[in-house]
Amino acid sequence: MTGDVQLQALLEAEVPTAGRWTAAEVPDPDTVAVDLADDDLAGLEAAAVDLAHRGVDPVDAGPDDLPLGPLAPLIDEVRHQVLHGRGLVLLRGLPVDRMTVNEMALVFWGIGLRLGRAVSQSVMGERLGHVVNVTDVDPHARAYRNRSELAPHSDPGDLLSFLCLRPALEGGVSRFVSSLTVFDEIRTRRPDLLVHLVHGFHYHRFGEEGPGEEPITPHRIPVFSFRDGLISGRYVPEYVQIAADEDPSIVLTDAQAEALDLLHATTNRADLALDFTMGSGEMVLANNFTVFHARSEFTDSPEHR
């Protein structure tokens, strides 16, 4: 679709009810939580312990190595909810208190194998990363290895998942907001600014461009788009701003800046967002097309635990 056709389609599009939620409908994590039973986890847990004992790297394990057993129907339901429902699920009760980090990584990986195909979103090539602050040795570490606050954004993959082994000493509050709700609020209140978000922005690739590609995208990446009857939200504010800072040919107009300010303000509205701190043994699953996520600054333990 051309930009004008995209805009017209979005102005007329019906927002799916399931994916459009506010803080009134999702007031706390209990609203999106699913509690796991020890009996349902037993088979997966035993397989993970065995693989860890044999030194198997989690990313080398396949579905046959990590059978879900009675957990399988529940994970199918969770996948449906993330893809076609609210786009956000919190799994609780994973056995971090009785498993090593490697064993727990295998459990996490085993569940993830049923959700999709794991891909890297980092130049490091990691498909399974550890969220620890390493800025003392790498001041420019990527977001999940950096203690700084992260503004509401989406990740490149279709789905994202975090598993909390242990909370940070301080901070690390997660924020989730429906990007479909954000879209609908902006469409209703300021349709004149929506055009800029649909038109999109050039992104800095932060060294993750492919061979022969430019560090800044030559094309614009829309914040909101419409395809096959579905509304999608995609946004990383830092990538937009740094692209404009580094390339003199990229000039954000006053209207574009106002649209970005409105987007930032809307994604952070208390009446729209769900804020909570993940606890040990909790696993978040979110749809990157329908949910923006953020995290407050955190203080890690001195041992980088």
Side-chain angles (χ1 to χ4, degrees), residues 117-123 126 142-144 153-162 203-206 208-209 217 221 232-239 286-293:
R117 179 173 59 89
V119 296
S120 171
Q121 62 168 14
S122 156
V123 72
E126 288 182 312
R142 191 181 171 90
Y144 65 91
H153 65 284
S154 57
D155 289 351
D158 296 340
L159 306 181
L160 67 88
S161 185
F162 308 122
Y203 271 47
H204 201 290
R205 288 174 165 142
F206 280 87
E208 296 176 1
E209 62 272 11
T217 60
I221 298 175
S232 299
R234 287 287 190 160
Y235 181 52
V236 185
E238 293 83 0
Y239 291 9
N287 186 330
N288 270 313
F289 291 106
T290 63
V291 175
F292 292 142
H293 65 282

Side-chain angles (χ1 to χ4, degrees), residues 147-195:
R147 65 187 294 266
S148 301
E149 177 182 358
L150 301 177
H153 65 284
S154 57
D155 289 351
D158 296 340
L159 306 181
L160 67 88
S161 185
F162 308 122
L163 167 64
C164 179
L165 298 179
R166 59 187 66 85
L169 289 181
E170 296 178 349
V173 179
S174 293
R175 167 167 290 179
F176 298 93
V177 62
S178 165
S179 57
L180 301 183
T181 302
V182 171
F183 160 76
D184 208 23
E185 288 288 310
I186 294 174
R187 178 174 66 172
T188 301
R189 297 167 183 262
R190 293 297 304 273
D192 59 311
L193 295 181
L194 182 65
V195 61

Side-chain angles (χ1 to χ4, degrees), residues 51 58-67 109-110 113-114:
L51 291 178
V59 299
D60 292 331
D64 292 341
D65 302 312
L66 293 163
W109 185 259
L113 288 172
R114 276 64 179 200

Side-chain angles (χ1 to χ4, degrees), residues 109-148:
W109 185 259
I111 294 173
L113 288 172
R114 276 64 179 200
L115 301 170
R117 179 173 59 89
V119 296
S120 171
Q121 62 168 14
S122 156
V123 72
M124 297 171 64
E126 288 182 312
R127 292 184 291 158
L128 179 68
H130 292 269
V131 181
V132 291
N133 176 38
V134 298
T135 52
D136 53 344
V137 294
D138 182 6
H140 304 293
R142 191 181 171 90
Y144 65 91
R145 304 171 73 233
N146 191 313
R147 65 187 294 266
S148 301

Side-chain angles (χ1 to χ4, degrees), residues 199-270:
H199 191 208
F201 303 90
H202 297 281
Y203 271 47
H204 201 290
R205 288 174 165 142
F206 280 87
E208 296 176 1
E209 62 272 11
E213 292 183 334
E214 296 297 323
I216 296 174
T217 60
H219 53 277
R220 293 176 177 270
I221 298 175
V223 176
F224 299 112
S225 57
F226 188 76
R227 184 179 177 88
D228 298 331
L230 298 175
I231 303 168
S232 299
R234 287 287 190 160
Y235 181 52
V236 185
E238 293 83 0
Y239 291 9
V240 172
Q241 189 57 58
I242 293 175
D245 290 344
E246 291 194 4
D247 188 339
S249 69
I250 300 174
V251 179
L252 296 177
T253 66
D254 290 344
Q256 288 174 324
E258 186 180 3
L260 290 173
D261 286 346
L262 177 61
L263 176 64
H264 181 75
T266 307
T267 57
N268 283 296
R269 273 174 44 185

